Amino acid sequence: MSSCVLLASFFLAPAPPAPADNPNLAVNLNYVHGLSYDKPQTVMPPWLWLGIMLVGFPVVFYLPTHLALSAWFPRRRNGETGNDGALSSASSNHECPLCC
């Protein structure tokens, strides 16, 4: 889902800087053109920056968060009950290939 948002921001939203006739226009949504609202980054090609963001966010932020939360809050197995005494069948549908 975040990849779709980044791609939409890159292709549909304006790149920095904001036009002089509309200085309050939102530009560089989700930092897809660099880390500045004043000018796009020039260190690498724009497509490479976008590619790094598309791969970097899941690898650097989402995967470690998922693994940490999976370790801190382990899944309940079939037949186990939670604090409310109800059987846990919803958690057995977890289809994550990383932690199963």
Side-chain angles (χ1 to χ4, degrees):
M1 180 56 115
S2 66
S3 298
C4 295
V5 171
L6 290 175
L7 289 169
S9 297
F10 185 80
F11 290 110
L12 301 176
D21 61 337
N22 191 359
N24 293 326
L25 180 68
V27 295
N28 197 16
L29 300 177
N30 298 310
Y31 300 104
V32 294
H33 295 285
L35 297 176
S36 172
Y37 291 114
D38 299 326
K39 59 183 176 142
Q41 64 84 23
T42 57
V43 175
M44 61 186 76
W47 60 267
L48 182 58
W49 175 264
L50 179 64
I52 288 171
M53 290 188 69
L54 288 171
V55 173
F57 272 96
V59 171
V60 173
F61 295 110
Y62 305 147
L63 179 61
T65 301
H66 173 75
L67 295 175
L69 291 175
S70 295
W72 291 333
F73 302 105
R75 294 184 305 155
R76 288 187 260 172
R77 304 288 181 215
N78 285 339
E80 290 183 8
T81 58
N83 292 338
D84 58 358
L87 287 175
S88 172
S89 61
S91 65
S92 65
N93 295 332
H94 185 81
E95 298 284 335
C96 176
L98 299 172
C99 61
C100 296

